[in-house]
Amino acid sequence: MALIKNGRLTADRWHLYEDDAPLQPDIPAIVSLARFKAERDALLRAHADLGVRLEPGETPDAIADDLDRLSVIALNFPSFTDGRAYSYARLLRERHGYKGEVRAVGNVLRDQYLFMARAGFDAFEVKEGESAEAFLAATKAVTNAYQRATDTRRPIWELRGAQPAIAAAAE
Amino acid sequence: MYRYDEFDATFVHERVEQFRDQVARRLSGELTEEEFKPLRLMNGLYLQLHAYMLRVAIPYGTLSGTQMRRLAHIARTYDKGFGHFTTRQNIQYNWPTLEDAPRILEELAEVEMHAIQTSGNCIRNTTADPYAGAIKDEVEDPRIASEVIRQWSSLHPEFSFLPRKFKIAVTGTTHDRAAVKVHDIGLVIKRNAAGEVGFEVLVGGGQGRTPMIAKTIRDFLPKQYLLSYLEAILRVYNMLGRRDNKYKARIKILVHETGIEELSRLVEAEWESLSRETTVDLPRAEYERIAAYFEPPDLAPAEASSAAFEAAQQEDRDFRHWVRTNVKEHKVDGYAVVDISLKPIGGVPGDATADQMDLVADLAERYSQDELRVTHGQNLVLAHVAKDDLHALFKELAGAGLATANSRLVSDIIACPGLDYCALANARSIPIAQDISRRFDSLDRQFDIGPLEIKISGCINACGHHHVGHIGILGVDRKGTEYYQLTLGGRADENAAIGKILGPAFDADGVVDAVETIVDTYLEERRGPDETFLDAVERLGFQPFKDRLYPQKQAAA
Ligand code: SF4
């Protein structure tokens, strides 16, 4: 697997551990939510760099209190049609204010990059041989967006010159 | 009607280029069909029984003469000379090739149209009352909210891989012509006690194998919060909707399993949180910018009744009949709303030839403020016709086989493509519609029967809306033979109801006789011509119909 981060192909220093694999203390580790829950204290003690992988159905609420100690949250796409992780990514960024890496893993296709990047993902595990150029091209295929999301794009309605409405909370 | 600015135009053009690249990758073999499938579906391209099918969005069913003419051109150039208007205000082409698809999308983009999100598990084309902006008692033109939703939902980064497809419909009057109660979200524009405009929000309606009527999740949503509230509903659905079984994945099942109170609580909580975190709602200036495109047309003042119009009705009997069925009151005196029937006797419901489309485009330009509507009932509408022009319009329509006087009568049948085109079908729908229509071809008889909606689906996916037909017909497969099950008492208006199954199914010949038997039973049993079919079914129950349809059973009992 290769990793695209910040638009570049990079070496991945993280290791994704199976639940029964013994951890090596010096290597940055990504573990499942189940393992994190079971071995939380020991894991946080032994690993300065720790990440958790969430499956669809495991919402960020499950790790909300530990987010400031986790450097990576990997959101798994067992199938590209399961879009729950798009909501999880937005919640991580917008609700929980998470600043670490939000990584897309599993079935990650070029044609989803744009959606993922807009939803708050900043790292993508891709097939060996996938090029960073293709990634960049995919995120640029459509210049402007109609809606505000997690990325820095200003929505088209704002570009049209209107000022954002005062965000009023629901009465 | 809405016009693209540079942002809209760029967006759609870039989308075409993106798809051109994807098609090229497919044709070169770089993409497998499996990998290509989700991409083509995002652009409305299906693989059917015999060929590709391209579904083009007609947002909220409104289009200009130029746009209609382009649809005709596409039918002529890339298809077999016709197109098929669907119950969701789209048009489908049944014979395009994969190689041509990008070029077709480019031709559409040139006239501000697209096929984005006409398929796939995303937010689909938003539909609206086809009489929008033309009838009395409308609180606000529903196309304004629909266009706002169209833009917000286009390539939405969070909601493009939902558990299942998601359909929204909007109406601006209490009399519902948009079937909002059988959509995933239905919006009814209304005023609260303080006179402010907003929406009643309904959720969880739908058809398919588990038909359900939508429930109200919020009685009044001030209109400035439309998008944030939709975003909250969609987020809750995206996270909690079932993904283990595609037949249980629509939001109606979530509503059913969670309960509307609990779901409402979840949505309200999500809405409150996300409203603090981000700005989803449009600023008032942008809402008003969009609304300005839907300002009512400047109609020259005219007398409420016109002598020429009355005289023409006296002289021309066919015109008189057509006026009676297909012409509706306009909110401005001296004008009318005209239904153009795409249901000629024995024809294919919703089909129009390229020549017919061209003609209708001309007529829209000449007689109706350059604006056309496509209806949920697979017909067309000219929404702003001067009464003085009606007779001339009628004659031109009649010359092209477009003046069938049957709006909402028994031969105005909705039918899905069925086994003639659809890979999922159990049975043919179109030939059944044609046979029923021929059986009831006498206009006097149709007038006598009065309003009666027949809807036919070729399988339980219910694209032909049989669940909400006054008489519903569902194709089923019995050991390789086509059979048809009948339901009674469904309706898709503000009193929406799901029809109930009458009894054992009939074969293709038997079903037409059975429909006639039901109609004859109604005519015999009704209290008088003022008691409609639906009223009679409600009063009488199913028994009189069953007695006539299944006499052997009675004898055996
Ligand atoms: S109802 Fe069934 S047969 Fe008819 S179009 Fe839909 S899927 Fe095809």
Side-chain angles (χ1 to χ4, degrees):
Chain A
M1 278 296 177
L3 188 74
I4 290 179
K5 181 147 190 197
N6 300 324
R8 253 179 250 115
L9 269 178
T10 44
D12 186 8
R13 50 187 201 98
W14 291 81
H15 189 79
L16 192 67
Y17 283 93
E18 296 300 323
D19 278 355
D20 48 4
L23 296 185
Q24 290 170 272
D26 303 330
I27 301 177
I30 298 175
V31 298
S32 72
L33 176 65
R35 187 166 193 173
F36 179 72
K37 279 185 167 163
E39 306 170 25
R40 177 182 174 277
D41 294 346
L43 284 168
L44 286 171
R45 229 177 298 129
H47 291 270
D49 285 331
L50 189 66
V52 170
R53 185 180 66 180
L54 299 178
E55 300 295 326
E58 299 173 345
T59 69
D61 284 349
I63 46 168
D65 294 337
D66 291 311
L67 281 173
D68 51 358
R69 288 182 250 202
L70 298 170
S71 318
V72 170
I73 307 298
L75 299 176
N76 189 29
F77 288 84
S79 137
F80 72 88
T81 57
D82 191 326
R84 280 175 277 190
Y86 293 97
S87 290
Y88 300 165
R90 289 197 70 181
L91 289 175
L92 278 169
R93 297 291 190 209
E94 296 175 34
R95 186 146 309 160
H96 301 290
Y98 182 65
K99 297 282 190 295
E101 177 181 308
V102 178
R103 176 185 290 206
V105 302
N107 211 322
V108 180
L109 306 177
R110 186 198 299 181
D111 301 279
Q112 296 168 309
Y113 286 161
L114 181 56
F115 294 127
M116 290 179 171
R118 297 210 60 222
F121 290 91
D122 59 349
F124 309 84
E125 226 179 61
V126 296
K127 281 195 301 234
E128 215 55 68
E130 182 70 286
S131 76
E133 290 72 46
F135 171 87
L136 283 179
T139 51
K140 285 190 186 138
V142 182
T143 314
N144 291 309
Y146 279 111
Q147 58 297 100
R148 188 176 318 279
T150 309
D151 59 347
T152 54
R153 265 169 222 243
R154 297 170 67 205
I156 285 173
W157 53 260
E158 207 174 293
L159 298 175
R160 282 179 174 138
Q163 294 302 308
I166 310 294
E171 283 96 302
Chain B
M1 54 185 286
Y2 188 72
R3 297 303 312 265
Y4 282 10
D5 67 2
E6 57 187 303
F7 293 104
D8 300 305
T10 305
F11 184 88
V12 170
H13 277 289
E14 286 177 336
R15 217 25 213 171
V16 173
E17 288 315 310
Q18 191 183 31
F19 190 55
R20 195 189 302 281
D21 170 61
Q22 290 162 350
V23 169
R25 278 153 65 204
R26 171 73 193 109
L27 290 171
S28 75
E30 186 188 330
L31 288 174
T32 64
E33 164 57 21
E34 200 196 349
E35 290 168 320
F36 179 58
K37 184 177 170 186
L39 306 179
R40 64 170 165 75
L41 286 180
M42 298 277 300
N43 284 290
L45 194 64
Y46 284 77
L47 200 49
Q48 287 199 321
L49 268 186
H50 314 289
Y52 282 102
M53 178 271 276
L54 180 69
R55 182 182 293 151
V56 176
I58 300 171
Y60 34 91
T62 294
L63 72 173
S64 68
T66 305
Q67 290 174 324
M68 182 60 108
R69 215 170 275 116
R70 184 58 58 95
L71 295 180
H73 163 76
I74 290 169
R76 204 174 274 126
T77 315
Y78 304 101
D79 202 294
K80 296 186 174 177
F82 61 93
H84 177 75
F85 291 96
T86 78
T87 55
R88 294 214 72 256
Q89 302 180 323
N90 297 311
I91 183 169
Q92 294 182 180
Y93 295 105
N94 284 311
W95 306 97
T97 65
L98 179 56
E99 289 82 349
D100 281 339
R103 178 78 196 120
I104 299 174
L105 295 183
E106 189 181 323
E107 297 230 29
L108 289 168
E110 285 167 11
V111 295
E112 307 180 3
M113 296 184 80
H114 61 72
I116 298 168
Q117 290 170 212
T118 56
S119 58
N121 293 335
C122 51
I123 301 167
R124 302 287 190 87
N125 184 24
T126 297
T127 52
D129 183 351
Y131 295 172
I135 24 112
K136 289 199 179 82
D137 303 327
E138 190 174 72
V139 179
E140 182 176 286
D141 191 321
R143 295 172 301 171
I144 302 167
S146 303
E147 175 61 25
V148 167
I149 295 169
R150 184 190 74 82
Q151 297 191 20
W152 160 80
S153 63
S154 292
L155 303 193
H156 196 292
E158 187 176 348
F159 307 133
S160 291
F161 300 92
L162 295 168
R164 201 78 176 81
K165 58 189 167 185
F166 202 92
K167 302 174 179 179
I168 303 175
V170 194
T171 177
T173 62
T174 42
H175 180 54
D176 176 18
R177 278 168 294 262
V180 301
K181 288 192 172 173
V182 287
H183 279 76
D184 295 285
I185 289 180
L187 298 170
V188 181
I189 305 174
K190 62 182 205 182
R191 272 180 213 285
N192 66 4
E196 294 156 334
V197 174
F199 303 92
E200 178 180 349
V201 183
L202 298 106
V203 65
Q207 303 191 51
R209 63 188 64 200
T210 324
M212 294 200 188
I213 301 298
K215 296 194 167 74
T216 300
I217 191 168
R218 196 172 224 276
D219 199 49
F220 186 80
L221 176 74
K223 79 172 176 186
Q224 64 268 34
Y225 301 124
L226 174 63
L227 294 183
S228 56
Y229 199 79
L230 291 181
E231 191 135 322
I233 296 176
L234 265 295
R235 180 173 286 171
V236 168
Y237 169 59
N238 188 42
M239 295 205 290
L240 297 182
R242 285 179 62 173
R243 292 176 187 263
D244 57 327
N245 176 343
K246 80 179 234 194
Y247 299 113
K248 296 193 187 307
R250 296 287 287 269
I251 196 172
K252 63 191 173 187
I253 303 293
L254 182 64
V255 173
H256 182 70
E257 292 181 350
T258 312
I260 189 71
E261 289 80 19
E262 173 64 5
L263 191 71
S264 167
R265 203 187 56 71
L266 292 170
V267 167
E268 295 281 328
E270 182 58 43
W271 185 41
E272 220 179 293
S273 297
L274 77 80
S275 299
R276 275 195 301 271
E277 292 154 7
T278 183
T279 324
V280 182
D281 290 310
L282 294 184
R284 175 194 281 254
E286 173 65 358
Y287 200 96
E288 282 171 2
R289 185 191 75 87
I290 291 172
Y293 287 105
F294 299 97
E295 280 293 305
D298 236 344
L299 300 174
E303 295 294 320
S305 70
S306 120
F309 171 58
E310 300 303 333
Q313 287 191 79
Q314 292 303 319
E315 288 155 20
D316 184 342
R317 178 170 167 276
D318 291 343
F319 177 56
R320 185 164 69 242
H321 287 155
W322 179 77
V323 169
R324 177 170 164 188
T325 54
N326 290 39
V327 174
K328 308 283 148 65
E329 272 307 305
H330 194 283
K331 65 180 176 185
V332 177
D333 281 347
Y335 289 83
V337 179
V338 171
D339 289 332
I340 299 176
S341 172
L342 295 181
K343 317 289 176 62
I345 297 299
V348 178
D351 269 13
T353 65
D355 291 347
Q356 286 177 326
M357 289 188 242
D358 274 339
L359 175 73
V360 169
D362 286 350
L363 296 175
E365 286 168 352
R366 277 191 277 136
Y367 295 117
S368 190
Q369 308 289 322
D370 192 14
E371 207 196 281
L372 275 152
R373 316 289 176 82
V374 180
T375 79
H376 153 75
Q378 298 181 288
N379 292 308
L380 303 176
V381 165
L382 295 175
H384 311 287
V385 182
K387 281 189 176 164
D388 278 344
D389 289 336
L390 283 170
H391 196 215
L393 170 67
F394 168 76
K395 285 192 279 194
E396 294 201 53
L397 286 171
L402 289 169
T404 312
N406 63 353
S407 183
R408 289 179 186 77
L409 297 180
V410 62
S411 63
D412 185 2
I413 300 169
I414 290 181
C416 79
L419 199 53
D420 292 291
Y421 296 99
C422 177
L424 303 172
N426 286 323
R428 289 164 301 158
S429 317
I430 293 168
I432 302 298
Q434 291 170 310
D435 287 347
I436 294 173
S437 149
R438 283 190 204 102
R439 182 72 63 93
F440 291 97
D441 67 344
S442 151
L443 192 57
D444 288 340
R445 191 172 175 206
Q446 292 196 55
F447 276 145
D448 186 29
I449 297 164
L452 174 47
E453 297 174 11
I454 297 179
K455 305 188 183 194
I456 310 175
S457 304
C459 80
I460 193 62
N461 287 320
C463 305
H465 295 197
H466 67 277
H467 292 302
V468 290
H470 300 174
I471 299 175
I473 302 176
L474 165 65
V476 291
D477 175 82
R478 287 259 188 81
K479 301 194 185 90
T481 310
E482 297 161 79
Y483 272 85
Y484 297 88
Q485 205 166 60
L486 292 172
T487 55
L488 222 54
R491 58 199 294 174
D493 58 5
E494 61 279 12
N495 300 312
I498 305 298
K500 295 199 182 64
I501 295 173
L502 257 179
F506 297 87
D507 65 14
D509 292 330
V511 72
V512 182
D513 293 336
V515 167
E516 189 167 29
T517 303
I518 292 172
V519 171
D520 288 343
T521 308
Y522 154 67
L523 291 175
E524 285 159 30
E525 299 281 342
R526 71 181 176 186
R527 286 192 163 138
D530 286 342
E531 189 178 43
T532 63
F533 178 79
L534 273 182
D535 289 344
V537 169
E538 196 164 313
R539 177 174 61 82
L540 293 162
F542 281 19
Q543 206 53 50
F545 299 95
K546 285 184 176 173
D547 291 348
R548 291 283 298 275
L549 277 176
Y550 307 106
Q552 332 74 293
K553 261 206 165 152
Q554 286 322 110

